[in-house]
């Protein structure tokens, strides 16, 4: 029989009273008397269900440390051994090239498979996510709708990526941002672009994939209820010459496409980049000199409190103004090695651990994220002090 090769532990089927009852009912309904025939048919049925379950990708249990891999190397493997249990492989674009829908990426897939295989051999549960976008990267080509783009991704993932024991990427991570060129079309989300992301996310989730988003701080900001699709805003109190902030644009994805038909949520994780250039976090820590642990506790509590967003200000979006909600098991806080000049905030893992300890268990985020694995352990915040984010986070998250 062409049974699914994933099904390896079926010899105990029928051990429980309920399973004996199911077998008996099945035998009577089909008029089967030979126990071996009944068992064979049930093996086929069980395998089909087991295979379906196998395709529902999962995040590791418990706390998470997400790390972005800008390339593939032994350093990525080392970071994963030391604590990263979700690797966001950076990056890809969804583009139509010469009329052909294409997953554009520059990853060394052979190396990705090697890292995944090594982690499996060491019995270190790790989820592998494909990042889409990045700063200066194009947004999704809307020649195709979201469902069509998911079909392209799924086919590519199964037929090109999956190999050598690697089952392909476990999901998608949305990292669509702005562009250095002010006139670039990628400094403005379109309604069609948002719909493509939202619908592709729902299709991926419905098919068993993991879906995450990684908005810069201003793209999902509980300090304001304002909303629009421009990525060219400035903060009047903090480097007003920097005109590359958003205004809750990612909140639309949560509000309009945040659930699939079975009412399961679409987005498994919401990783917010506190290290966005000239973000509120940098202003609070570097200008107002708020202690980092104090700021994190306040920011976490604020972010986990539903806030009203004025979606009605963009009528074409088609949803009313409403509360946006992020739950603790969705929330992941994004950190970086800092810039040293206040442009990108640096928060030491020790301070993050202090904030974690002060929060009630039920109020703690799912974990931390950092950019990026290749530079982790180098000099932090333009100093001559080496800092390992992954080791610092693992000291209190205990992912490894």
């Amino acid at each position: 029989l062409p049974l699914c090769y994933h099904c390896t532990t079926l010899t105990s089927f029928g051990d429980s009273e309920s399973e004996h009852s199911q077998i008996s009912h099945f035998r009577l309904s089909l008029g089967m008397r030979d126990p071996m025939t009944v068992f064979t048919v049930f093996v086929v049925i069980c395998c089909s269900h087991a295979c379906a379950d196998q395709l529902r990708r999962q995040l590791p249990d418990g706390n998470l440390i997400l790390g972005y891999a800008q390339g593939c190397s032994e350093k990525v493997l080392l970071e994963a051994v030391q604590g990263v249990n979700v690797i966001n492989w950076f990056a890809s674009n969804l583009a139509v090239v010469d009329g052909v829908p294409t997953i554009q990426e520059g990853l060394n897939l052979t190396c990705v498979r090697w890292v995944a295989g090594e982690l499996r051999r060491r019995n270190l549960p790790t989820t592998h996510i494909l990042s889409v976008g990045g700063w200066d990267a194009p947004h999704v080509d809307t020649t195709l709708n979201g469902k069509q783009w998911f079909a392209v991704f799924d086919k590519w993932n199964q037929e090109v990526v999956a190999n050598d024991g690697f089952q392909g990427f476990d999901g998608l991570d949305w990292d669509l941002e702005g562009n250095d060129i002010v006139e670039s079309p990628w400094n403005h989300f379109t309604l069609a672009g948002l719909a493509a992301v939202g619908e592709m996310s729902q299709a991926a989730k419905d098919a068993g994939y993991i879906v995450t988003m990684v908005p810069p701080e201003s793209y999902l900001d509980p300090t304001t209820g304002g909303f629009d699709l421009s990525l060219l805003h400035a903060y009047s109190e903090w480097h007003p010459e920097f005109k590359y902030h958003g205004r809750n644009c990612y909140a639309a994805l949560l509000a309009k496409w945040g659930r699939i038909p079975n009412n399961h949520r679409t987005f498994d994780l919401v990783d917010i980049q506190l290290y966005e250039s000239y973000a509120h976090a940098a202003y609070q820590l570097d200008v107002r000199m708020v202690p980092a642990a104090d700021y994190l506790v306040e920011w976490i509590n604020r972010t986990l409190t539903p806030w009203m967003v004025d979606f009605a200000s963009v009528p074409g979006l088609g949803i009313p103004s409403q509360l946006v909600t992020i739950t603790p098991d969705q929330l992941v806080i994004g950190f970086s090695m800092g810039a040293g000049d206040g442009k990108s905030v640096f928060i030491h893992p020790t301070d993050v651990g202090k904030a974690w300890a002060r929060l009630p268990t039920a109020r703690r985020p799912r974990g931390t994220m950092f950019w990026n694995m290749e530079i982790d352990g180098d000099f932090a915040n333009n100093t001559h002090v080496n800092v390992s984010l992954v080791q610092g986070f693992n000291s209190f998250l205990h992912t490894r």
Side-chain angles (χ1 to χ4, degrees):
L1 291 175
L3 300 181
C4 173
Y5 69 88
H6 291 303
C7 306
T8 58
T9 56
L10 291 167
T11 55
S12 63
F13 185 83
D15 287 349
S16 72
E17 184 176 341
S18 63
E19 288 164 346
H20 275 302
S21 175
Q22 292 173 28
I23 291 175
S24 298
H25 176 76
F26 194 75
R27 289 176 64 184
L28 289 172
S29 64
L30 295 183
M32 293 181 183
R33 296 186 179 183
D34 177 20
M36 193 59 211
T37 302
V38 175
F39 179 74
T40 300
V41 173
F42 260 78
V43 165
V44 174
I45 293 172
C46 286
C47 274
S48 66
H49 287 295
C51 291
D53 289 341
Q54 287 274 347
L55 293 176
R56 304 210 70 88
R57 318 295 181 114
Q58 295 185 348
L59 291 164
D61 293 334
N63 295 328
L64 303 176
I65 300 177
L66 285 66
Y68 276 84
Q70 201 172 12
C72 186
S73 64
E74 291 186 3
K75 179 66 183 297
V76 172
L77 176 62
L78 175 62
E79 293 277 298
V81 169
Q82 292 178 332
V84 172
N85 56 357
V86 179
I87 301 177
N88 286 344
W89 294 97
F90 187 86
S92 66
N93 301 309
L94 310 183
V96 176
V97 181
D98 296 328
V100 180
T102 305
I103 309 296
Q104 293 182 317
E105 45 78 27
L107 296 169
N108 181 342
L109 293 175
T110 300
C111 182
V112 171
R113 297 183 195 108
W114 171 76
V115 169
E118 280 296 311
L119 293 169
R120 283 196 311 273
R121 279 187 283 275
R122 300 183 193 203
N123 196 29
L124 295 173
T126 308
T127 298
H128 301 269
I129 306 289
L130 179 66
S131 178
V132 181
W135 187 259
D136 279 343
H139 292 188
V140 177
D141 190 315
T142 55
T143 305
L144 277 68
N145 64 35
K147 292 181 180 179
Q148 292 169 328
W149 268 122
F150 171 68
V152 172
F153 162 76
D154 190 43
K155 179 179 174 65
W156 170 80
N157 196 41
Q158 294 190 51
E159 296 182 1
V160 176
V161 181
N163 204 342
D164 296 333
F166 181 51
Q167 293 188 343
F169 294 109
D170 297 306
L172 294 164
D173 171 59
W174 294 109
D175 186 23
L176 302 174
E177 301 180 14
N179 193 285
D180 283 324
I181 301 173
V182 174
E183 297 78 17
S184 170
W186 313 132
N187 281 320
H188 190 92
F189 277 100
T190 65
L191 294 173
L194 278 178
V197 172
E199 291 168 4
M200 183 175 178
S201 299
Q202 288 180 320
K205 187 61 184 174
D206 195 45
Y209 283 98
I210 294 161
V211 185
T212 68
M213 61 167 68
V214 58
E217 183 198 69
S218 65
Y219 293 25
L220 191 58
D221 182 5
T223 69
T224 178
F227 173 79
D228 66 30
L229 303 181
S230 172
L231 305 179
L232 293 173
H233 293 286
Y235 293 154
S236 59
E237 76 281 7
W238 179 230
H239 283 275
E241 77 283 359
F242 183 80
K243 304 182 188 301
Y244 290 101
H245 294 301
R247 186 170 291 163
N248 274 322
C249 46
Y250 269 63
L253 296 172
L254 294 173
K256 187 167 184 175
W257 294 279
R259 294 279 170 180
I260 56 177
N262 62 11
N263 205 36
H264 289 174
R265 68 187 182 200
T266 304
F267 299 98
D268 297 275
L269 300 175
V270 177
D271 324 337
I272 300 179
Q273 302 176 38
L274 291 188
Y275 54 88
E276 177 188 11
S277 294
Y278 301 118
H280 294 309
Y283 176 72
Q284 293 296 321
L285 271 63
D286 296 339
V287 178
R288 297 194 61 213
M289 305 304 291
V290 176
D294 293 351
Y295 176 76
L296 287 173
V297 169
E298 189 277 333
W299 180 86
I300 289 167
N301 282 320
R302 181 173 231 169
T303 304
L304 294 178
T305 301
W307 75 99
M308 182 66 69
V309 177
D310 186 19
F311 297 116
S313 64
V314 181
L317 186 62
I319 57 174
S321 299
Q322 59 190 274
L323 292 172
V324 171
T325 301
I326 301 171
T327 59
D329 63 334
Q330 273 183 308
L331 181 60
V332 173
I333 312 177
F335 302 94
S336 78
M337 298 292 283
D341 58 0
K343 183 177 182 180
S344 181
V345 72
F346 172 73
I347 301 178
H348 198 283
T350 301
D351 291 316
V352 184
K354 290 177 181 177
W356 237 258
R358 286 166 50 182
L359 289 163
T361 301
R363 201 70 172 170
R364 292 173 183 168
R366 185 69 187 273
T368 61
M369 172 273 285
F370 67 93
W371 176 269
N372 65 59
M373 298 168 78
E374 283 83 357
I375 64 173
D376 188 32
D378 291 349
F379 295 153
N381 210 32
N382 200 28
T383 68
H384 292 286
V385 179
N386 297 90
V387 175
S388 171
L389 296 177
V390 66
Q391 291 182 30
F393 295 148
N394 190 52
S395 68
F396 60 91
L397 293 175
H398 306 296
T399 54
R400 300 294 195 213

